[in-house]
Amino acid sequence: MERTWTNARLATMAGNGLGVIEDGVVAARDGVITYAGPRAGAPVATGESVDCGGRWITPGLIDCHTHLVHAGDRSGEWAMRLAGASYEEIARAGGGIVSTMRATRATSEADLVAIALPRLDALLAEGVTTIEIKSGYGLTVADELKMLRAARSLDDQRRVRVATTLLGAHALPPEYAGRPDDYVALVTEEMIPAANGLADAVDAFCEGIGFSPEQTGRVLAAARQAGLSVKLHAEQLSALHGASLAASFGALSADHLEYADEADAKAMAAAGTVAVLLPGAFYFMRETKLPPVDLFRAHHVPIAIATDCNPGTSPTTSLPLMLNMACILFRLSPEEALAGVTVHAARALGLTDRGIIATGLRADLVCWKIAEPAELAYRIGGDMNCGVVRGGRVAQWPS
Ligand SMILES: [Zn+2]
C-alpha cells in the first residue's frame, strides 16, 4: 500500500533541532517512509494522496516510560498524601506500590488488558505511536509474566508498538519482608530467565524504599547476562548514584534523575544513556528538587520525556501535557521537549527505526493543526485533534 502526504510543513527532528521542511511531502510504502523532503524533489505519487492543507507533520510520539498495565485505584491514597502523609509513610503503611500489587495479582490477564485499553487509547488519540510498558505490580514470577503478556497483547489490539520492560525489582512484596536479597535472587534466577521473549528490557527501582545500588547491580547484571537491555528508576528521591550504576551496565536510559549530579551526567554521556525526565511525577509529588537539566545539556546527555503513567505518582495519559510540564517545570525549550518524545525517546527504547521522519524509517506520523511546533508544548492539555499514522496506516484523521 502506497500513500503520500502533501502540502505539509515537516518537523522531521532529523539532525539538530526540528529539521523543518516547508512545503514538504512524505511518501510511504508498506509502512516504511520512501520519501520525506521538499515537494520539488518528491517522486510522482502513485497510491493514495492526502493534502495536509499546510498542517505540521511530526514523527509519531513515543512514550518511553509507563506503567500503563495495572489494576486498582489509588485516589484515596492520594487524598492521604494531600493531608500530609509522605511517599515513605504511605509505603510503610501498606499502601503505595503494594496496594496496586494486590489489585493486579487479583486481576486476570484479560481484565488487565481491558482496564489498560482506555488508557492506551487516550495516549494514542494524542499522537502516541510507540509506548513502553513496564511490569512491576505482580512481584511473583507468574504475575510479572501475566503483566508482560497483557502489555504485549495491547500491541495487537491497537497495532501499536509496545516495548515491554520487566520491572520485577519494583518493590519488595510483603511475603519477602526482611528478606530483600532472597527476593532479588528470585528476580535474577527465575523472573529474568522466564521473561525471555516477553520483555525487551529490565528495569529496577534503585531507591531507599526500593532496592539498594548493590541489589540493583545484581538485577542489571542478570539482565545483561540474559541478553536484555537495561533501564533504571534512579535518583528520584535521593542521590544513590543509580544513574552512574545504570550507565556502567550500558543502560538505554536512567529515569527520574532529580537527584543526579555531574558524575552521573558524565557517566551517562560516556555510556550513551538517555536521561528520561518525568515531569508528571515531579508535579504530582510536589517535588522541589529539579533534575540537573543544565548538566545534561553541558555533557550532551540526550533528554527524553515520558508520562510515567502510573496510579501512585503520575496518573496521566497525556504526553503533550508532559511537554508543557517539561517546559514550565524543568525549563526545557519546546524544541527540546519535542525531541524528548520523538528522537530521544526512540533512543531510550533502543529503537533505531523511528523517532525521526526519514527515508527507510517506520511511517509513524502525526499531522497537527497547530501554528508552530511550540504549540504542542504550549497548551495545558486539551483536544489536539490530530491525524495519526501508525506504520503507514491512517489510524485517525480529523475532518
Ligand atoms: Zn516509573
Side-chain angles (χ1 to χ4, degrees), residues 130-146:
T130 299
I131 181 175
E132 186 257 14
I133 301 177
K134 301 176 195 295
S135 66
Y137 295 122
L139 310 182
T140 66
V141 175
D143 289 305
E144 287 294 299
L145 297 183
K146 177 179 74 178

Side-chain angles (χ1 to χ4, degrees), residues 105-391:
R105 282 183 181 177
T107 304
S108 70
E109 183 184 324
D111 285 347
L112 283 177
V113 171
I115 293 168
L117 269 175
R119 297 178 193 133
L120 178 63
D121 286 340
L123 286 164
L124 300 184
E126 292 190 326
V128 168
T129 55
T130 299
I131 181 175
E132 186 257 14
I133 301 177
K134 301 176 195 295
S135 66
Y137 295 122
L139 310 182
T140 66
V141 175
D143 289 305
E144 287 294 299
L145 297 183
K146 177 179 74 178
M147 288 189 71
L148 291 171
R149 281 195 304 268
R152 275 277 165 95
S153 76
L154 290 169
D155 207 313
D156 304 329
Q157 298 262 356
R158 291 295 183 268
R159 295 180 181 281
V160 61
R161 172 66 153 87
V162 177
T164 51
T165 301
L166 173 69
L167 180 57
H170 193 194
L172 191 63
E175 59 271 23
Y176 279 86
R179 298 187 293 130
D181 288 325
D182 289 349
Y183 182 67
V184 170
L186 177 77
V187 172
T188 58
E189 290 164 23
E190 294 184 42
M191 254 180 222
I192 290 174
N196 207 329
L198 272 178
D200 299 303
V202 171
D203 193 348
F205 186 30
C206 184
E207 192 55 71
I209 59 166
F211 295 89
S212 70
E214 193 274 325
Q215 291 161 340
T216 300
R218 270 183 269 155
V219 173
L220 301 188
R224 297 301 287 173
Q225 201 160 20
L228 293 165
S229 302
V230 298
K231 311 170 77 67
L232 190 65
H233 285 68
E235 267 68 63
Q236 181 184 8
L237 306 169
S238 60
L240 298 177
H241 291 295
S244 296
L245 177 72
S248 76
F249 284 95
L252 291 173
S253 71
D255 304 34
H256 286 290
L257 301 172
E258 279 82 348
Y259 287 81
D261 64 12
E262 185 151 27
D264 295 318
K266 282 183 177 169
M268 291 170 68
T273 301
V274 176
V276 178
L277 304 185
L278 305 167
F282 178 93
Y283 162 81
F284 200 77
M285 295 182 74
R286 289 203 182 111
E287 181 59 67
T288 52
K289 178 96 168 75
L290 285 163
V293 169
D294 285 345
L295 289 175
F296 296 141
R297 287 186 186 123
H299 293 287
H300 305 290
V301 178
I303 298 172
I305 305 293
T307 60
D308 193 16
C309 171
N310 81 78
T313 60
S314 192
T316 178
T317 48
S318 175
L319 197 50
L321 177 59
M322 296 305 106
L323 298 185
N324 177 269
M325 286 188 177
C327 294
I328 299 294
L329 299 174
F330 297 162
R331 297 176 188 274
L332 262 62
S333 70
E335 198 172 300
E336 285 175 316
L338 186 56
V341 294
T342 52
V343 56
H344 294 161
R347 192 164 160 184
L349 296 179
L351 298 173
T352 55
D353 63 343
R354 65 197 71 205
I356 62 174
I357 300 174
T359 302
L361 298 202
R362 232 179 102 87
D364 286 346
L365 309 167
V366 191
C367 182
W368 306 94
K369 198 176 178 182
I370 50 175
E372 294 296 331
E375 194 179 336
L376 293 176
Y378 165 74
R379 303 214 166 269
I380 309 175
D383 185 2
M384 298 302 292
N385 191 25
C386 55
V388 181
V389 177
R390 292 199 292 270

